[in-house]
Amino acid sequence: MKPQMRDKRVFFLVLLFYISVFLVEFGRGQRQNNRRTEVNVGAVTDVGTTYSEVAMLCVKLSLSDFYSSRPQFQTRLVVNVGDSRNDVVGAAASALELIKNKQVKAILGPWTSMQAHFLIEIGQKSQVPVVSYSATSPFLTSLRSPYFFRATYEDSSQVNAIKSIIKLFGWREVVPVYIDNTFGEGIMPRLTDALQEINVRIPYRSVISLNATDDEISVELLKMMTMPTRVFIVHMYSSLASRVFIKAKEIGLMRPGYVWILTNGVTDDLSSISEMGIEAMEGVLGVKTFIQKSKELDQFKSRWRKRFPRKELSVYGLWAYDATTALATAIEEAGTNNLTFSEPEPGRNVSELEALGLSQYGPKLLQTLSQVQFKGLAGDFHFINGQLQPSVFEIINVVGTGERSIGFWTEENGLVKQLDQQPGSMGALSTWKDHLKYIIWPGEADSAPKGWEIPTNGKKLRIGVPKRTGYTNLVKVTRDPITNSTSVTSFCIDFFEAVIRAMPYDVSYEFIPFEKPDGKAAGNYNDLVHQVFLGRYDAVVGDTTILANRSSYVDFTLPFIKSGVGMIVPMDDLVKRDHFSFLKPLSLKLWLTSFAFFFIIGFTVWVVEHRVNPDFRGPANYQASTIFWFAFSTMVFAPRERVFSFGARILVITWYFLVLVLTQSYTASLASLLTTQQLNPTITSMSRLLERGERVGYQRTSFIFGKLKEAGFSPSTLVPFDTAEECDEFLRNGPENGGISAAFLEIPYLRLFLGQYCNTYKMVEEPINVDGFGFVFPIGSPLVADVSRAILKVAESPKAMELQRAWFKKKEESCPDPVTSPDPNPYITSRQLGVDSFRLLFIGVFVICIIIIGKFFFCFLRKTEGNNMWEQFKKPDNDSYINRVKKCSCSSKQQAVHNSSQATKPDDDQ
């Protein structure tokens, strides 16, 4: 029994020990609880709504998790809920009641930006911080209240992501579709500025009321359907967005070619949209708040699904959780000193708002709340200028009944498929497929929409056409006097119609001549282009020159005709034909040189031949005439005098060749002189016109008048003309008879003019450079890019040459193009033949003469040995080789005669 008693005694002692330890710890905990301070905070929300219930559950979970993990903290938040009843006034009344009756030190909420606007004013007056986890309007920032903290992302923070999407696909126009309240309007200023940075126009804004009926929504959508813009940015509550997209699908705004981009106001709340609404959004793009995955977030979502399986956790719930954690942390750091409100001065008449007093705790809480920083469920939590700053957004594509992530936007890298993707790896020539994953577009379109097209049920384009008097090959407007109907034809019109046929979509249009009721032009080309800026015309088609000053208020397509301003002047034949024209082919120096060489050749041959050749002997006057006769006769026939010496024969052969070349050149030059006009321009440059103060002409209604004034011409010297015939008359009259010295025309008109008068006038200079003729559209019109591409297609096709032959080649076939086929020597007349052309031949003949004469005198002096040289020179050389040949020849002839006579005598001996 003793061992049993001992065991019982030990058991009771151990039990008594544990009981005593429990009582000690219980007492210590009770004392700690007695030292903890409860701090009242308010929560203004729309009680009874789904989103409010989710947010308040997250607030309670945040406090539970916060204090369970930090039992040593001395403060405990007590949340007092105020019902705003979905009303701005209700939210303000709830806030006033919480401050007055509960003396809350901070307020969580409210839900909407319009409600927050009033609460911020109340918080500012009473020094009670307002921490909102769902008010996203940028307008709230403009209040500049230090007591407002935005524990969510401002709507304008996503405009750069939207801008990047639009820029990536090259869309030129967008239409914002937003709700008609502070939330919807708040994003517009920043969105407009961002789009202007990439030259994207906003031609229309679609504003839809929260309480709009289905019929009102349909009317607005039908209005959008008749517009050419096909890119829409939707910024509204998810409940209204669901109704809009259901109607849009019914009407036909979700067909291929349309683009819809949702802001995070819709994408962050897609889970609350019905299945029918999600299906209507098939192919829509969206910018969504990016929540970085983490272990804590996964655990929280798991707990949420277990405790609240029927409630969908949203990003606003996560922000409410983090905002509550931040507020609890800030209050703990601020301490519990001076938790009171100051009372207004007694006896002073004050409003109910002023009667609330000022929170003495507010400034300290403001300081600690601004410094709170931690890793929350929604990401890094840190207030910068009173709000959270996002750096990443997720890009989604609505597919089926859900969403699919197709990429991300970051401040550093822009649009990328993956967050770890480097932009440098995509290259400079990357496409949208390098930045985003595969996209399913509305209507399951195969390619990215162009973002703009002419609606088939929309109005026609009003196209202004210039009214011209002359040069109707380019633009011609005629009016039927019976039916009063207008007909527009010409190269520019046919080219434009070919361009429209090459467009990827149909464009309906009508031509409207720019004329007065009496049929005259309503103004010049600058006036016509200005009508597009004023909105009276949607475009201008015609011979409209692309100029820098015009491009400041309209957009031009690529030029469909290259242009410039050319200067044409009359041509003058500089060669004067008279009785002495036969002397003009050769210069005076060549004539004298030729005559001198005739004498030199004759004299040289005489010197060498006269002692050995009887044809060169005789009286002195006979020998002198022989010298000239022999030399000059070589021009037309072989002389009768024979040449015996070898040297003389070499000289004569060389002289024959020189004379042949000289006579043939003379004949050719004389024939050209007598049969061909040597036309040269009377003036060769614009500077000469300015120096001489000449009168010049220009096309009426053209920009050339202003350009010539800028160049320095006086307005009194500028003469306008309309037609080619009028220009020809002015040029033929000349400045002496009231005409002009030169005319300035754009190259297309100049080609037409010279096609009629190519043998009379010439383009000598292109002093003014312009880009060419282009079609005119309003600034930012998406048609500009599509029409420019179509112009390139037509220009590269046979159609362009076909149109040019049809309108321009009729009068130009016999005339060369002044631009593509210029004169190789435009300002040089055919010059006279000079000694330089035959210098080598003359030198060769002269050297041969020197050699022959030198050899002759060397041999002569050697033979005579200096005795009676002149007498010996005058005597014939009987011992010469030639005379010996002659003697031998004579002896042979005499012997032959003798033999013949002997043979004919009778034989006497017989």
Side-chain angles (χ1 to χ4, degrees):
M1 294 297 292
K2 288 182 178 180
Q4 293 180 352
M5 290 296 294
R6 191 181 304 112
D7 292 340
K8 290 181 179 179
R9 215 176 276 160
V10 171
F11 172 76
F12 281 113
L13 289 174
V14 172
L15 180 62
L16 182 62
F17 173 76
Y18 279 109
I19 291 174
S20 61
V21 170
F22 173 76
L23 292 175
V24 171
E25 292 296 327
F26 179 77
R28 183 182 302 170
Q30 193 68 26
R31 288 193 298 272
Q32 289 180 350
N33 288 335
N34 292 335
R35 291 198 301 268
R36 288 173 183 162
T37 303
E38 292 182 349
V39 179
N40 285 328
V41 295
V44 177
T45 185
D46 300 329
V47 177
T49 59
T50 303
Y51 53 81
S52 177
E53 291 179 1
V54 171
M56 295 313 300
L57 288 173
C58 289
V59 170
K60 293 178 181 179
L61 289 175
S62 175
L63 292 175
S64 176
D65 294 343
F66 183 80
Y67 289 121
S68 64
S69 62
R70 301 168 180 84
Q72 73 279 9
F73 278 17
Q74 301 303 309
T75 57
R76 292 293 185 270
L77 298 189
V78 177
V79 179
N80 300 271
V81 179
D83 186 8
S84 56
R85 297 183 293 276
N86 291 324
D87 185 66
V88 175
V89 178
S94 299
L96 290 172
E97 183 181 355
L98 289 172
I99 295 175
K100 180 178 180 180
N101 299 332
K102 300 296 182 178
Q103 291 193 340
V104 294
K105 306 305 180 291
I107 296 177
L108 288 171
W111 182 260
T112 68
S113 298
M114 291 182 292
Q115 295 171 348
H117 190 282
F118 285 89
L119 261 67
I120 293 172
E121 296 289 350
I122 295 173
Q124 176 75 15
K125 292 289 186 180
S126 59
Q127 295 184 357
V128 175
V130 177
V131 183
S132 177
Y133 47 82
S134 58
T136 57
S137 173
F139 285 165
L140 302 179
T141 306
S142 64
L143 299 177
R144 302 186 182 278
S145 173
Y147 286 90
F148 173 63
F149 292 87
R150 196 197 307 267
T152 180
Y153 297 154
E154 185 185 87
D155 285 335
S156 61
S157 62
Q158 61 188 314
V159 297
N160 287 329
I162 297 173
K163 179 181 74 172
S164 297
I165 295 174
I166 294 172
K167 182 179 180 180
L168 179 65
F169 290 97
W171 297 318
R172 308 307 303 165
E173 285 188 357
V174 299
V175 171
V177 184
Y178 56 94
I179 189 171
D180 188 12
N181 60 17
T182 303
F183 168 75
E185 295 172 354
I187 195 176
M188 289 310 301
R190 286 288 304 279
L191 179 62
T192 302
D193 292 342
L195 295 179
Q196 285 180 347
E197 292 175 1
I198 56 174
N199 296 321
V200 174
R201 293 179 63 242
I202 299 179
Y204 177 72
R205 298 185 185 188
S206 178
V207 184
I208 301 176
S209 173
L210 176 63
N211 301 319
T213 64
D214 289 347
D215 291 339
E216 291 174 339
I217 293 175
S218 298
V219 169
E220 187 63 30
L221 293 176
L222 286 171
K223 187 185 299 182
M224 294 161 53
M225 194 175 186
T226 61
M227 297 179 182
T229 308
R230 292 292 183 261
V231 181
F232 307 108
I233 300 174
V234 180
H235 180 63
M236 57 183 59
Y237 299 143
S238 59
S239 57
L240 180 59
S242 176
R243 297 173 57 204
V244 168
F245 278 100
I246 291 174
K247 281 297 178 183
K249 186 174 182 180
E250 291 178 3
I251 293 174
L253 286 170
M254 299 302 293
R255 295 197 305 261
Y258 286 90
V259 179
W260 295 84
I261 302 175
L262 305 176
T263 64
N264 61 0
V266 181
T267 57
D268 288 344
D269 205 20
L270 281 178
S271 59
S272 64
I273 299 179
S274 65
E275 184 175 338
M276 182 179 179
I278 294 294
E279 289 178 352
M281 294 181 181
E282 177 85 20
V284 171
L285 300 179
V287 177
K288 185 177 182 179
T289 302
F290 174 69
I291 303 298
Q292 182 72 45
K293 292 182 179 180
S294 64
K295 181 179 179 181
E296 292 78 8
L297 179 60
D298 292 338
Q299 292 175 350
F300 181 79
K301 287 182 177 180
S302 178
R303 289 166 50 202
W304 182 272
R305 286 191 294 268
K306 290 179 181 179
R307 296 182 61 178
F308 314 107
R310 296 185 178 181
K311 297 186 182 298
E312 188 73 29
L313 180 63
S314 67
V315 66
Y316 299 106
L318 299 180
W319 277 324
Y321 184 99
D322 290 345
T324 305
T325 301
L327 186 57
T329 303
I331 288 177
E332 178 66 26
E333 293 179 359
T336 57
N337 294 329
N338 205 2
L339 294 174
T340 61
F341 276 74
S342 63
E343 297 293 337
E345 297 179 6
R348 180 185 169 199
N349 293 326
V350 295
S351 64
E352 184 178 355
L353 181 59
E354 293 175 331
L356 297 177
L358 299 177
S359 172
Q360 303 301 308
Y361 189 68
K364 181 63 176 178
L365 180 58
L366 178 68
Q367 181 181 358
T368 57
L369 194 56
S370 301
Q371 298 173 352
V372 170
Q373 187 173 358
F374 62 94
K375 179 73 173 179
L377 295 180
D380 293 333
F381 193 100
H382 177 54
F383 288 121
I384 300 177
N385 297 325
Q387 60 187 15
L388 301 183
Q389 301 293 330
S391 59
V392 180
F393 282 99
E394 185 178 10
I395 311 301
I396 66 167
N397 185 203
V398 180
V399 180
T401 58
E403 63 184 64
R404 182 173 63 93
S405 177
I406 59 173
F408 301 90
W409 177 88
T410 65
E411 286 184 295
E412 297 80 11
N413 301 328
L415 292 171
V416 291
K417 290 182 180 179
Q418 304 293 338
L419 285 176
D420 56 355
Q421 182 178 355
Q422 295 299 323
S425 62
M426 291 179 285
L429 300 178
S430 60
T431 64
W432 71 265
K433 295 181 180 179
D434 297 312
H435 294 265
L436 298 174
K437 298 177 183 177
Y438 178 75
I439 298 175
I440 296 178
W441 299 100
E444 298 182 356
D446 297 331
S447 59
K450 298 183 299 294
W452 196 94
E453 62 182 55
I454 299 295
T456 56
N457 56 348
K459 64 178 181 179
K460 294 182 178 180
L461 288 179
R462 297 164 300 161
I463 298 179
V465 179
K467 179 67 181 292
R468 291 201 59 86
T469 303
Y471 301 101
T472 54
N473 301 64
L474 291 167
V475 178
K476 183 177 182 181
V477 177
T478 57
R479 185 177 296 275
D480 191 325
I482 299 175
T483 62
N484 202 33
S485 61
T486 302
S487 174
V488 182
T489 59
S490 70
F491 171 80
C492 295
I493 301 302
D494 287 355
F495 196 96
F496 176 76
E497 291 175 344
V499 167
I500 293 300
R501 288 192 292 271
M503 296 273 284
Y505 47 83
D506 294 330
V507 178
S508 57
Y509 56 89
E510 60 177 339
F511 293 119
I512 304 174
F514 186 55
E515 61 181 2
K516 298 177 181 178
D518 59 0
K520 296 182 180 179
N524 58 28
Y525 279 74
N526 288 333
D527 299 329
L528 174 59
V529 171
H530 194 65
Q531 302 306 306
V532 177
F533 173 75
L534 297 176
R536 296 172 184 170
Y537 294 144
D538 298 315
V540 167
V541 171
D543 49 344
T544 311
T545 306
I546 302 172
L547 297 176
N549 62 332
R550 294 174 180 172
S551 64
S552 62
Y553 53 90
V554 294
D555 277 349
F556 287 93
T557 63
L558 291 176
F560 60 92
I561 295 182
K562 293 296 182 182
S563 185
V565 177
M567 183 178 110
I568 57 173
V569 297
M571 301 293 290
D572 188 18
D573 190 358
L574 300 184
V575 179
K576 305 301 180 182
R577 296 169 180 81
D578 51 27
H579 300 296
F580 299 97
S581 296
F582 69 93
L583 296 176
K584 294 180 180 178
L586 305 183
S587 65
L588 176 62
K589 188 176 180 180
L590 181 56
W591 280 116
L592 296 177
T593 302
S594 300
F595 285 128
F597 264 83
F598 277 119
F599 174 77
I600 292 172
I601 296 301
F603 177 76
T604 303
V605 173
W606 175 80
V607 168
V608 176
E609 291 288 324
H610 87 283
R611 295 187 70 245
V612 298
N613 192 339
D615 293 337
F616 290 88
R617 291 199 295 268
N621 58 351
Y622 176 79
Q623 294 188 45
S625 63
T626 301
I627 291 174
F628 289 101
W629 166 262
F630 179 84
F632 282 97
S633 63
T634 56
M635 288 193 299
V636 292
F637 54 84
R640 60 181 177 81
E641 293 81 9
R642 293 179 300 168
V643 179
F644 294 142
S645 65
F646 176 77
R649 290 181 177 182
I650 294 297
L651 177 62
V652 170
I653 291 173
T654 306
W655 177 244
Y656 274 152
F657 179 74
L658 188 151
V659 169
L660 176 64
V661 173
L662 188 62
T663 54
Q664 293 296 323
S665 301
Y666 172 83
T667 302
S669 180
L670 181 62
S672 174
L673 177 69
L674 296 177
T675 59
T676 305
Q677 287 183 315
Q678 305 296 330
L679 298 177
N680 256 30
T682 55
I683 296 177
T684 58
S685 66
M686 188 171 70
S687 59
R688 291 286 303 278
L689 293 171
L690 289 169
E691 291 172 2
R692 295 160 58 174
E694 298 282 358
R695 286 163 53 91
V696 298
Y698 68 95
Q699 293 169 269
R700 196 188 305 272
T701 74
S702 172
F703 68 94
I704 299 178
F705 177 76
K707 294 292 184 181
L708 293 177
K709 286 178 60 180
E710 293 177 5
F713 285 95
S714 171
S716 60
T717 62
L718 300 178
V719 180
F721 58 84
D722 292 311
T723 64
E725 292 75 16
E726 191 176 353
C727 178
D728 172 56
E729 182 180 355
F730 281 136
L731 288 170
R732 279 191 290 104
N733 291 338
E736 299 83 4
N737 300 316
I740 56 178
S741 299
F744 291 87
L745 297 91
E746 290 185 76
I747 296 300
Y749 309 108
L750 188 145
R751 285 193 173 107
L752 293 172
F753 180 82
L754 293 183
Q756 295 179 254
Y757 308 101
C758 62
N759 295 323
T760 309
Y761 306 103
K762 185 178 185 63
M763 186 186 85
V764 296
E765 190 180 19
E766 190 176 344
I768 302 173
N769 293 322
V770 292
D771 202 10
F773 292 164
F775 303 131
V776 182
F777 291 92
I779 285 183
S781 172
L783 266 178
V784 174
D786 291 338
V787 172
S788 295
R789 295 187 188 98
I791 287 174
L792 294 177
K793 291 180 183 178
V794 175
E796 295 171 1
S797 69
K799 183 66 176 179
M801 293 302 299
E802 178 184 336
L803 292 175
Q804 289 186 10
R805 285 193 296 268
W807 289 100
F808 298 136
K809 291 299 181 181
K810 295 178 182 178
K811 297 182 179 180
E812 295 181 5
E813 291 178 352
S814 61
C815 300
D817 191 296
V819 178
T820 60
S821 302
D823 188 348
N825 296 306
Y827 312 129
I828 301 177
T829 60
S830 58
R831 59 186 178 86
Q832 292 178 319
L833 297 175
V835 177
D836 293 341
S837 302
F838 310 96
R839 183 184 301 276
L840 185 61
L841 292 175
F842 280 118
I843 291 175
V845 171
F846 184 74
V847 169
I848 293 174
C849 290
I850 296 298
I851 293 174
I852 291 173
I853 291 177
K855 181 182 177 183
F856 171 80
F857 280 106
F858 177 77
C859 296
F860 177 75
L861 293 174
R862 186 178 177 185
K863 185 176 181 180
T864 59
E865 297 179 354
N867 298 322
N868 299 322
M869 288 186 297
W870 177 245
E871 295 297 332
Q872 294 292 331
F873 181 75
K874 292 190 294 181
K875 293 180 179 180
D877 187 1
N878 295 324
D879 296 332
S880 67
Y881 170 76
I882 296 174
N883 288 332
R884 290 197 300 269
V885 170
K886 287 184 177 181
K887 289 179 180 180
C888 292
S889 177
C890 293
S891 301
S892 298
K893 289 181 180 180
Q894 292 175 359
Q895 183 65 36
V897 171
H898 175 74
N899 292 338
S900 174
S901 63
Q902 290 294 328
T904 55
K905 288 182 179 181
D907 193 354
D908 296 338
D909 296 335
Q910 293 179 351

